[in-house]
Amino acid sequence: MRLLSTETLKLHEFYTDIPPYAILSHTWEKEDVSFQDIQNLETAGAKAGFAKVLNACRRARHYDFEWIWIDSCCINKESSAELSEAINSMYQYYEDAVVCYVYLCDVSLEVHLQHPNSSFRRSRWFKRGWTLQELLAPWDVVFLDKDWSKIGTRWSLRDLVSTITTIPVEVLEGQDISDYSVAQKMSWAAFRKTTRPEDQAYCLMGLFGVSMPPIYGEGSTRAFMRLQQEIIKISDDRSIFAWIAMPSDKHESRGLLASSPYEFRMSGEVKASVPEVLNDKSSYLFGNNGLRIHLPLEPTDSSRFGSDVFLGSLLCQSEKDGSYLSVYLRKTSGQQYVRCRVDELVLRSLPPAFDNVQELSVREKPVPRRVRSDKYLHMASSNTVLYHVELLTSARHFFCASNPHTTSVAEKGFAVVAVDANKSLCWLGPFMHDASLTYECMTTGKTFTIEFAGSWDPVYYNCTLQLCDKTFGDFSDPRMDRIVGQFDSGDYICVTRESRGDLRRRERSLHQSLEPISEKNVEISYIPKESPEANFLTHTLRPSHSGFMVPANLELSELELSGYQTAQLSGVFPPYFFVERFDNMAYVTAFHADGGEYTSNDDQFCILTYTESMWHSSFYVALGLQGSSAWIDIDFCQLEDGENPEAPEDIWKSYLSSGSRVEKRMEAKSSTWVGSLMASVERRTNLQLGSHLLRLQLPGTSLQDSTVRRPQRLQNLDTVRTI
């Protein structure tokens, strides 16, 4: 591979004995520096993207990395052979890096990261196809904002990143992705985009451990078909067939392969199939007449579907409720079938019957995915760990009380500690002290202590934080990179770890001998209790399995509503972090992060605001769960002149225990009427996000006894339509 020197900005080719390197993940912008540009630094310097290269090298150099890999300038894209090699090796490049720096050019820290309107959540980086593997493959991932300030790490922000990406927290904590089904991994890429359509498939090759030649120009669907065929060669997981098409394609006849990752958008709950129940009939392969596979078939209701439509079990279950997944198959001739009703995956509570499984096939042993490389973690032959301990700007009002006479070092807020396998500790430089560092604030008298311990394995080093007679965490897990401790005053101390390079080259003199040393950075920050960051610091975001699919757009003009054109879902209150829109639908949930601003024991509901596009009038839908029952209420606000509409927050409060609408919530009605408009919420029967579906229907009759306020123009409706 080709690496860029962080000192000289010169490219060097490595075929074997690749040195430790950092790697940059970013979204491409205008005037990024190319391979041809970097050959002449004067030419490269004239481009706007040169600042990105300089800052990436500067950060890597600060942590003693001599080499860095940046895709824009380390790949000669004019060579088709080199580009093909790079695409097939990209996952390995990121996997073998010591650390990955994620530069988010569109993120600032003006709004807290966990706020629903934070730029971190909206960053383009989370929507790009290639960045999925760049998030998962590296051992260490560090997020940087537009000013190259550290935001956090994949580990410290794992709950937030999980909420944004739908990737389980356990994966971000290091659980092997091979433990997850093909459908689940596909779902992580469902909402990601690529500049070139074929890259929707090519960017997933490393995630599934397959290779194939890129053929730009073949189109996204053909490329994705080839990807699935390569996956099938090494996997018999039938969850690869657990996808649903868009509603507009419901009448199409299809095969068993999806046309894009987007068709796995609802498949995050689908576990891997259990092919062992078929014994030697579990294998499947492609022939010249399609996919040859053994499936348990069951007839459907012929009066509804026809005598030629069957249910084919995929032998997969939902991890939410254990339901079994089946697809609709229509028999065309002999043993030939096509998939029909392609926008549905049927959920059934009972396991499939196996009295109609036919044919035989030979099952090949699946090829295991390559295990993550951790060679750089064990590169130091010595059992000594060198800690670089630094007070960041926010914590500079503390001083090191372990040795108050070393004022020059204390003022800089920097110290170096060496720990060996015998758990003894010595200082390099002016300090010669115990195996701990104690810091004190001269104005408040607050103190905290960091204790270090050695280990025979330099990867599993140990560091603990002590304050207020309490001990907080340790770094014995090599993936853990942040410890948070809280003073009695409510303020926080954060101790974070950051990787360093040069594990082979660096030599330090310990006891007058030279030996390679494993080095770690330990950085200390202080967060006041009144800081916005403090509100979210100890809270964990976990998307709930319970939620609602709701209409995102209503075509009111087609319902003959005088003066109304279209209404759009314009707001959800309380402002929850996860609201996803697609297929003219949106997914919302009434559950919030623990400790959120609006959290209470009875707030398992939300207020949807629909705004009419022409007159900008609004109506509200209250939606929630009361125990195990879903309930709904709807309110069209007809205002007199001079009246101000109720705010969504006030409407939400009116359903609380002390509110004027609490009885409607306690009744837990699953349907309600406003004039001729009926709103109902029902439990899902097909695969979808969440647990319930909101329907807005307009039958041809009108209820005159509605107690809900409604505008005059909603009366006397005779159009029939389901939205």
Side-chain angles (χ1 to χ4, degrees):
M1 67 184 304
R2 193 181 288 116
L3 295 174
L4 184 69
S5 169
T6 59
E7 294 280 353
T8 64
L9 302 186
K10 298 293 185 182
L11 291 171
H12 294 263
E13 194 89 31
F14 295 92
Y15 298 98
T16 58
D17 297 326
I18 298 173
Y21 63 94
I23 200 166
L24 179 68
S25 176
H26 64 109
T27 55
W28 281 54
E29 302 167 76
K30 292 183 178 180
E31 294 191 337
D32 268 319
V33 176
S34 68
F35 171 81
Q36 285 72 27
D37 295 331
I38 203 67
Q39 309 299 319
N40 187 319
L41 295 183
E42 183 176 350
T43 301
K47 287 202 164 187
F50 190 62
K52 184 191 299 185
V53 175
L54 288 179
N55 284 310
C57 289
R58 184 179 296 114
R59 180 174 182 85
R61 201 164 56 245
H62 178 76
Y63 291 97
D64 291 339
F65 286 101
E66 186 180 5
W67 305 102
I68 190 170
W69 191 88
I70 304 175
D71 58 352
S72 58
C73 58
C74 289
I75 303 174
N76 181 9
K77 297 178 179 61
E78 294 184 356
S79 168
S80 58
E82 182 173 331
L83 181 60
S84 177
E85 178 184 357
I87 288 175
N88 280 276
S89 305
M90 196 76 69
Y91 192 97
Q92 182 178 343
Y93 289 170
Y94 280 87
E95 188 177 53
D96 289 345
V98 178
V99 63
C100 175
Y101 299 134
V102 176
Y103 174 58
L104 305 178
C105 62
D106 54 356
V107 172
S108 67
L109 300 182
E110 297 174 355
V111 178
H112 190 272
L113 298 180
Q114 291 191 5
H115 192 280
N117 294 326
S118 72
S119 56
F120 185 78
R121 177 198 175 186
R122 300 192 306 269
S123 176
R124 182 168 169 261
W125 189 86
F126 289 110
K127 297 297 183 181
R128 304 303 294 169
W130 287 105
T131 56
L132 175 59
Q133 65 178 8
E134 295 165 18
L135 171 65
L136 298 177
W139 180 269
D140 277 338
V141 176
V142 179
F143 292 99
L144 309 168
D145 71 2
K146 64 179 183 180
D147 298 319
W148 292 87
S149 297
K150 182 177 178 179
I151 301 173
T153 65
R154 181 183 58 197
W155 194 92
S156 65
L157 300 175
R158 62 196 184 282
D159 58 337
L160 185 58
V161 174
S162 174
T163 304
I164 297 172
T165 63
T166 73
I167 299 172
V169 168
E170 292 76 12
V171 175
L172 303 176
E173 290 176 339
Q175 184 167 331
D176 194 340
I177 61 174
S178 63
D179 294 338
Y180 292 82
S181 71
V182 173
Q184 287 174 309
K185 287 183 281 191
M186 287 291 189
S187 73
W188 304 342
F191 297 102
R192 293 174 178 263
K193 306 294 182 183
T194 56
T195 302
R196 306 188 72 166
E198 294 86 354
D199 282 341
Q200 288 189 4
Y202 304 157
C203 70
L204 299 177
M205 291 191 295
L207 193 67
F208 292 98
V210 299
S211 298
M212 64 182 191
I215 308 174
Y216 286 105
E218 66 175 327
S220 60
T221 301
R222 186 179 294 274
F224 193 66
M225 289 287 186
R226 285 204 297 132
L227 174 69
Q228 294 170 92
Q229 292 175 13
E230 292 299 323
I231 295 173
I232 286 173
K233 291 178 182 178
I234 66 170
S235 171
D236 59 1
D237 177 11
R238 300 184 177 206
S239 73
I240 195 172
F241 310 126
W243 50 268
I244 55 176
M246 296 177 63
S248 58
D249 300 329
K250 63 186 303 179
H251 299 300
E252 287 187 3
S253 295
R254 298 267 298 271
L256 284 177
L257 294 184
S259 62
S260 73
Y262 184 76
E263 294 188 332
F264 289 90
R265 62 198 179 280
M266 305 289 189
S267 303
E269 66 184 78
V270 180
K271 298 193 295 185
S273 62
V274 185
E276 289 78 11
V277 296
L278 293 179
N279 298 321
D280 59 346
K281 301 179 182 179
S282 64
S283 298
Y284 45 88
L285 52 85
F286 280 94
N288 57 5
N289 59 348
L291 184 70
R292 298 176 181 175
I293 187 171
H294 292 78
L295 288 176
L297 295 180
E298 297 182 39
T300 60
D301 183 353
S302 59
S303 62
R304 180 182 177 188
F305 300 101
S307 59
D308 59 345
V309 176
F310 298 82
L311 277 176
S313 174
L314 298 181
L315 307 178
C316 298
Q317 290 180 268
S318 164
E319 66 179 8
K320 287 185 181 179
D321 54 19
S323 298
Y324 292 84
L325 276 68
S326 298
V327 296
Y328 288 107
L329 298 174
R330 188 176 74 249
K331 189 174 184 179
T332 57
S333 64
Q335 290 299 105
Q336 295 295 312
Y337 294 82
V338 294
R339 182 177 171 182
C340 58
R341 304 177 71 92
V342 292
D343 64 329
E344 297 182 56
L345 270 177
V346 181
L347 299 177
R348 310 178 75 194
S349 58
L350 297 177
F354 296 96
D355 54 358
N356 193 24
V357 179
Q358 304 176 16
E359 297 189 11
L360 297 175
S361 60
V362 177
R363 182 180 180 183
E364 297 289 339
K365 183 178 180 180
V367 179
R369 185 180 172 277
R370 189 170 66 89
V371 178
R372 177 191 296 273
S373 171
D374 59 355
K375 60 183 179 180
Y376 293 133
L377 299 176
H378 298 274
M379 196 168 291
S381 59
S382 169
N383 290 319
T384 301
V385 180
L386 196 66
Y387 295 94
H388 297 251
V389 186
E390 182 179 4
L391 288 173
L392 300 182
T393 302
S394 61
R396 289 293 173 84
H397 54 290
F398 287 86
F399 71 96
C400 185
S402 298
N403 192 334
H405 301 293
T406 56
T407 56
S408 61
V409 176
E411 288 174 357
K412 295 179 180 179
F414 185 80
V416 181
V417 182
V419 184
D420 64 22
N422 297 318
K423 300 187 178 182
S424 62
L425 180 146
C426 66
W427 290 84
L428 300 182
F431 289 130
M432 296 297 292
H433 226 276
D434 296 331
S436 65
L437 292 177
T438 298
Y439 291 87
E440 181 178 350
C441 178
M442 298 182 66
T443 56
T444 64
K446 294 178 181 177
T447 62
F448 65 89
T449 299
I450 302 176
E451 292 195 350
F452 301 91
S455 170
W456 288 107
D457 187 340
V459 175
Y460 292 88
Y461 62 104
N462 190 279
C463 171
T464 59
L465 171 65
Q466 295 185 354
L467 68 159
C468 304
D469 298 325
K470 298 179 182 178
T471 300
F472 296 88
D474 60 57
F475 285 148
S476 56
D477 184 341
R479 299 179 187 277
M480 183 177 179
D481 55 26
R482 186 180 71 173
I483 299 173
V484 178
Q486 188 174 22
F487 291 103
D488 292 337
S489 64
D491 300 334
Y492 294 90
I493 283 291
C494 290
V495 180
T496 59
R497 167 184 63 80
E498 177 129 7
S499 298
R500 298 181 67 93
D502 292 333
L503 302 185
R504 265 192 267 187
R505 285 195 307 111
R506 180 171 294 279
E507 293 179 341
R508 295 284 189 179
S509 175
L510 293 176
H511 308 295
Q512 306 302 317
S513 64
L514 294 178
E515 58 180 10
I517 299 172
S518 176
E519 302 188 41
K520 312 291 181 182
N521 253 55
V522 176
E523 299 172 341
I524 305 168
S525 60
Y526 176 82
I527 302 174
K529 62 181 180 181
E530 60 272 11
S531 168
E533 184 178 356
N535 295 329
F536 301 95
L537 196 59
T538 58
H539 300 147
T540 300
L541 291 176
R542 291 277 184 171
S544 173
H545 288 323
S546 298
F548 305 89
M549 293 294 294
V550 305
N553 300 285
L554 305 178
E555 296 294 335
L556 299 180
S557 60
E558 298 183 20
L559 302 178
E560 299 183 3
L561 296 180
S562 176
Y564 276 73
Q565 296 298 317
T566 61
Q568 295 181 338
L569 178 65
S570 57
V572 180
F573 188 91
Y576 182 57
F577 200 89
F578 185 77
V579 177
E580 191 66 64
R581 299 171 187 257
F582 46 87
D583 293 351
N584 199 33
M585 300 290 286
Y587 173 66
V588 301
T589 176
F591 298 85
H592 321 298
D594 294 340
E597 181 179 358
Y598 298 100
T599 299
S600 67
N601 293 328
D602 56 2
D603 76 336
Q604 309 301 305
F605 62 92
C606 61
I607 304 298
L608 310 181
T609 301
Y610 285 92
T611 302
E612 189 274 326
S613 59
M614 176 173 287
W615 301 104
H616 303 291
S617 56
S618 300
F619 66 92
Y620 304 99
V621 177
L623 195 64
L625 296 175
Q626 186 69 23
S628 59
S629 301
W631 64 273
I632 187 173
D633 192 25
I634 188 169
D635 188 358
F636 276 90
C637 295
Q638 181 69 44
L639 302 176
E640 302 297 336
D641 292 341
E643 282 188 292
N644 293 320
E646 286 186 273
E649 181 175 3
D650 294 331
I651 295 177
W652 181 84
K653 289 180 178 178
S654 71
Y655 289 95
L656 297 177
S657 298
S658 58
S660 60
R661 295 181 173 98
V662 62
E663 292 184 1
K664 295 182 179 180
R665 177 170 62 83
M666 299 304 293
E667 290 174 357
K669 290 185 176 180
S670 60
S671 63
T672 186
W673 294 81
V674 178
S676 298
L677 181 67
M678 186 185 77
S680 63
V681 59
E682 58 190 44
R683 187 172 294 276
R684 72 175 190 173
T685 57
N686 288 297
L687 183 67
Q688 66 170 61
L689 297 181
S691 55
H692 291 78
L693 175 68
L694 169 65
R695 293 188 184 276
L696 299 179
Q697 295 176 303
L698 199 66
T701 58
S702 176
L703 292 183
Q704 301 301 322
D705 59 350
S706 173
T707 59
V708 186
R709 291 177 294 155
R710 60 190 182 277
Q712 184 68 26
R713 55 179 171 263
L714 279 176
Q715 298 178 2
N716 302 321
L717 304 175
D718 56 7
T719 302
V720 179
R721 180 174 171 84
T722 300
I723 304 176

